[in-house]
């Protein structure tokens, strides 16, 4: 039976049916090796907060999305986030009024760009517009709270190099949505979130850990001198809590038994994956929202991704 099948496939391939040639089948070729390394061996690996989060979650997804060019079109969630981030930034800088009475005016700015966002249905566009109104109201209330910290900067670009305990040097770079100074003179990095779900495992949250490490390594010395990190926060603009907007905090990280903080461990693992170019697929809740599930060996029968 195997011989008969092979002969028929060979005949079809010879007649021009390309799909009959096993050379075109997924998962049958040997592992490929690039002509040059993914990152130059004599240069530090550059890591942003989003890249570290992505690699920590699933190295295979990070590679397909960031390195192999497997990006998708802008979604309504991304459009929602861009609009809210822009308005929140302008409110923080004083370019727009920071009072609840001005929300209707802010919605005029929203309406000016709302038609460019690719919503699946007209009613989802209307529903999400009301969510923008609520998100902006939560942000303004929290921004104006009585014990609010001093705002140092918004959308602040940072870059610094860090030597990890294992000897690798990593270049940390990116943008902080909001930098604040607490009562003890420490810098608190705030990241604005517009997702529908709260984050989990806050003590190990890679994005917040990277921000804190960057601060401790002098990334914001131009604003705060040698001030240390006072923690980092996620402001969940879509979510409520008993005190108003849901705020998720990560306190300053402390070294574990091996002498490394959680973010140093995550950076060590991420750099090792990039240097070795071995990107494993890690199944989890994120698989439900992954654009590469059809290629993933943990999600389909058989192996198509190596």
């Amino acid at each position: 039976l195997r011989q008969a099948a092979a002969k028929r496939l060979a005949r079809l391939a010879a007649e021009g049916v390309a799909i009959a040639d096993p050379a075109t089948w997924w998962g049958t070729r040997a592992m490929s090796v690039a002509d040059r390394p993914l990152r130059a061996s004599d240069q530090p690996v550059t890591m942003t907060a989003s890249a570290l989060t992505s690699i920590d979650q699933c190295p295979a997804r990070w590679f397909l999305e960031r390195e192999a060019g497997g990006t998708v079109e802008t979604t309504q969630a991304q459009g929602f986030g861009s609009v809210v981030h822009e308005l929140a930034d302008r409110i923080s800088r004083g370019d727009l009024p920071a009072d609840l009475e001005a929300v209707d005016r802010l919605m005029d700015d929203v309406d000016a760009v709302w038609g460019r966002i690719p919503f699946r249905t007209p009613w989802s566009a209307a529903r999400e517009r009301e969510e923008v109104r609520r998100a902006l109201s939560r942000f303004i209330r929290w921004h104006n709270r009585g014990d609010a910290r001093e705002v140092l900067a918004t959308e602040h670009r940072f870059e610094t190099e860090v030597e990890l305990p294992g000897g690798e040097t990593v270049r940390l770079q990116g943008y902080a949505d909001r930098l604040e100074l607490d009562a003890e003179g420490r810098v608190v990095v705030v990241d604005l979130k517009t997702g529908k779900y709260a984050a989990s495992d806050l003590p190990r949250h890679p994005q917040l850990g990277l921000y804190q490490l960057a601060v401790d390594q002098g990334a914001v010395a131009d604003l705060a001198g040698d001030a240390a990190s006072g923690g980092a926060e996620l402001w969940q603009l879509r979510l409520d809590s008993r005190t108003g907007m849901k705020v998720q905090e990560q306190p300053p990280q402390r070294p574990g038994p091996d002498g490394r903080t959680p973010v140093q461990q995550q950076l060590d693992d991420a750099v090792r994956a990039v240097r070795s170019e071995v990107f494993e697929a890690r199944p989890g809740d994120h698989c439900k929202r992954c654009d590469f599930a059809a290629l993933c060996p943990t999600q389909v029968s058989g192996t198509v991704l190596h």
Side-chain angles (χ1 to χ4, degrees), residues 67-246:
E67 299 297 320
T71 55
V72 297
E73 293 182 359
T74 300
T75 65
Q76 67 180 51
Q78 291 170 326
F80 182 106
S82 296
V83 169
V84 174
H85 272 77
E86 175 65 21
L87 291 176
D89 178 48
R90 293 171 65 187
I91 291 170
S92 299
R93 289 190 278 112
D95 296 342
L96 291 174
D99 59 83
L100 292 175
E101 289 74 18
V103 172
D104 284 338
R105 176 187 162 187
L106 297 178
M107 294 307 296
D108 290 338
D109 292 333
V110 172
D111 291 336
V113 298
W114 206 239
R116 305 176 197 170
I117 300 175
F119 291 100
R120 291 187 293 272
T121 62
W123 53 87
S124 65
R127 184 186 64 239
E128 290 295 275
R129 182 184 181 278
E130 287 307 305
E131 283 295 328
V132 169
R133 178 188 292 275
R134 285 190 280 269
L136 291 173
S137 298
R138 289 187 191 97
F139 175 80
I140 290 173
R141 289 192 190 96
W142 193 252
H143 175 77
N144 291 332
R145 70 192 188 280
D147 59 347
R149 296 179 291 255
E150 175 189 351
V151 179
L152 291 176
T154 62
E155 291 295 330
H156 184 73
R157 188 181 187 280
F158 65 86
E159 182 171 339
T160 189
E161 290 192 357
V162 176
E163 185 174 346
L164 299 175
E168 279 276 5
T169 298
V170 182
R171 181 179 295 113
L172 308 181
Q173 63 178 212
Y175 288 85
D177 287 343
R178 190 173 167 110
L179 294 172
E180 300 185 340
L181 201 64
D182 70 9
E184 299 176 37
R186 303 175 303 175
V187 175
V188 178
V189 182
V190 174
D191 193 65
L192 306 181
K193 293 296 185 185
T194 56
K196 298 179 180 180
Y197 306 100
S200 59
D201 198 8
L202 265 294
R204 290 193 72 262
H205 195 279
Q207 185 173 16
L208 297 183
L210 185 143
Y211 287 147
Q212 292 210 61
L213 182 60
V215 168
D216 285 333
Q217 295 296 316
V220 297
D222 56 326
L223 297 173
D226 59 356
S229 171
E233 296 177 347
L234 300 175
W235 289 10
Q236 300 288 355
L237 301 183
R238 275 184 180 254
L239 306 178
D240 290 311
S241 72
R242 287 180 297 177
T243 58
M245 181 182 65
K246 186 175 185 62

Side-chain angles (χ1 to χ4, degrees), residues 11-48:
R11 186 168 64 251
L12 288 170
E15 293 173 359
V17 182
I19 199 172
D21 186 348
T24 68
W25 297 353
W26 285 94
T28 60
R29 297 189 179 204
M31 185 179 294
S32 60
V33 179
D35 296 333
R36 56 183 179 180
L38 195 63
R39 297 290 185 273
S41 58
D42 60 343
Q43 296 294 319
V45 173
T46 297
M47 197 66 61
T48 64

